[in-house]
Amino acid sequence: ATPTLIVTPTLAITATPTATPTSAYVTIVLAPSTITVGGVSTATVNLNNVPASGFASAEFTCTYDPALVSVGSIVATNLFGADPVMVVNGPQNGSFIVAIAGSNGNKATTSGPAFTFTATGLQAGQFAIDCQARVSTGNLVLTTIPSNPASLTIAAATATPAPTSGTFSGQVLAN
């Protein structure tokens, strides 16, 4: 008898983790990330991997498509302590600048939301909202940190169908 060779293939799967930045960076979370024309999404701008020594201030330059959304209601959180100092320039021509600093020696010493704003859909489309940031530890030097933009989708508003007309037939009895 002729010997039979049996080959059993093996499959090795290697997972490659996505690298998370080890230094500070900015993320934007949109809730919801898809709206209709006239709908509103709330954007939360987060500082991540804040060092234990903290940031005394941060300056965010945010960009968006002004043909697709209008931006408003820019509000600081308590990331930089109670009663942070905030200055807003804009929104105008698709960008705005938010500068936030801790008052009374307060600093951002943990990761979390720095500020929020609303985006109202003007017309259908999709685009990225990005907030580039520069941070300071209080040493009078601004350091640029990376940013991960968020994508907002604006769907066309759907028309509500008009009520249909009809006829009623039957018998009416009056008492």
Side-chain angles (χ1 to χ4, degrees), residues 2-3 7 40 47 106 112 116 132 143 150 159:
T2 307
V7 178
V40 177
L47 275 177
N106 286 325
T116 61
Q132 297 290 319
T143 303

Short mmCIF file of all heavy atoms in Angstrom, two decimals, residues 2-3 7 40 47 106 112 116 132 143 150 159:
data_model
loop_
_atom_site.label_atom_id
_atom_site.label_comp_id
_atom_site.label_asym_id
_atom_site.label_seq_id
_atom_site.Cartn_x
_atom_site.Cartn_y
_atom_site.Cartn_z
N THR A 2 0.41 2.24 -0.68
CA THR A 2 1.13 3.50 -0.77
C THR A 2 0.80 4.36 0.44
O THR A 2 -0.37 4.54 0.77
CB THR A 2 0.73 4.25 -2.05
OG1 THR A 2 0.88 3.38 -3.15
CG2 THR A 2 1.55 5.49 -2.23
N PRO A 3 1.84 4.92 1.12
CA PRO A 3 1.54 5.76 2.28
C PRO A 3 0.84 7.05 1.84
O PRO A 3 1.12 7.60 0.79
CB PRO A 3 2.90 6.06 2.89
CG PRO A 3 3.90 5.71 1.85
CD PRO A 3 3.25 4.77 0.88
N VAL A 7 -1.91 16.59 5.25
CA VAL A 7 -1.42 17.90 5.65
C VAL A 7 -2.57 18.66 6.30
O VAL A 7 -3.63 18.82 5.70
CB VAL A 7 -0.87 18.70 4.45
CG1 VAL A 7 -0.42 20.08 4.87
CG2 VAL A 7 0.24 17.93 3.78
N VAL A 40 -29.91 69.17 15.78
CA VAL A 40 -28.81 69.69 16.57
C VAL A 40 -27.99 68.54 17.14
O VAL A 40 -28.54 67.57 17.65
CB VAL A 40 -29.33 70.57 17.73
CG1 VAL A 40 -28.19 71.05 18.62
CG2 VAL A 40 -30.11 71.76 17.20
N LEU A 47 -9.93 66.80 26.59
CA LEU A 47 -8.47 66.70 26.74
C LEU A 47 -8.19 65.32 27.32
O LEU A 47 -8.80 64.95 28.34
CB LEU A 47 -7.94 67.77 27.69
CG LEU A 47 -7.65 69.14 27.11
CD1 LEU A 47 -7.21 70.11 28.20
CD2 LEU A 47 -6.60 69.06 26.03
N ASN A 106 -6.06 77.12 39.82
CA ASN A 106 -6.60 75.82 39.40
C ASN A 106 -6.01 75.41 38.06
O ASN A 106 -5.68 76.25 37.23
CB ASN A 106 -8.13 75.89 39.27
CG ASN A 106 -8.82 75.93 40.60
OD1 ASN A 106 -8.37 75.31 41.56
ND2 ASN A 106 -9.92 76.66 40.67
N GLY A 112 -10.71 64.77 30.54
CA GLY A 112 -12.15 64.97 30.53
C GLY A 112 -12.57 66.07 29.58
O GLY A 112 -11.75 66.64 28.87
N THR A 116 -18.13 72.36 25.57
CA THR A 116 -19.12 71.80 24.65
C THR A 116 -19.62 72.91 23.73
O THR A 116 -19.48 74.09 24.04
CB THR A 116 -20.33 71.20 25.40
OG1 THR A 116 -20.97 72.23 26.14
CG2 THR A 116 -19.90 70.06 26.31
N GLN A 132 -7.94 71.77 17.00
CA GLN A 132 -6.52 71.71 17.28
C GLN A 132 -6.26 72.45 18.59
O GLN A 132 -6.92 73.46 18.86
CB GLN A 132 -5.72 72.36 16.15
CG GLN A 132 -5.87 71.66 14.81
CD GLN A 132 -5.19 70.32 14.79
OE1 GLN A 132 -4.09 70.16 15.31
NE2 GLN A 132 -5.83 69.33 14.19
N THR A 143 2.26 74.47 23.89
CA THR A 143 2.71 73.27 23.19
C THR A 143 1.54 72.69 22.41
O THR A 143 0.47 72.46 22.98
CB THR A 143 3.22 72.22 24.20
OG1 THR A 143 4.26 72.82 24.99
CG2 THR A 143 3.73 70.98 23.50
N ALA A 150 -13.84 64.62 14.52
CA ALA A 150 -15.06 63.82 14.51
C ALA A 150 -15.81 64.13 13.22
O ALA A 150 -15.72 65.23 12.67
CB ALA A 150 -15.92 64.14 15.71
N ALA A 159 -39.87 64.64 4.17
CA ALA A 159 -41.16 65.31 4.19
C ALA A 159 -42.20 64.41 4.85
O ALA A 159 -42.22 63.20 4.62
CB ALA A 159 -41.59 65.66 2.77
#
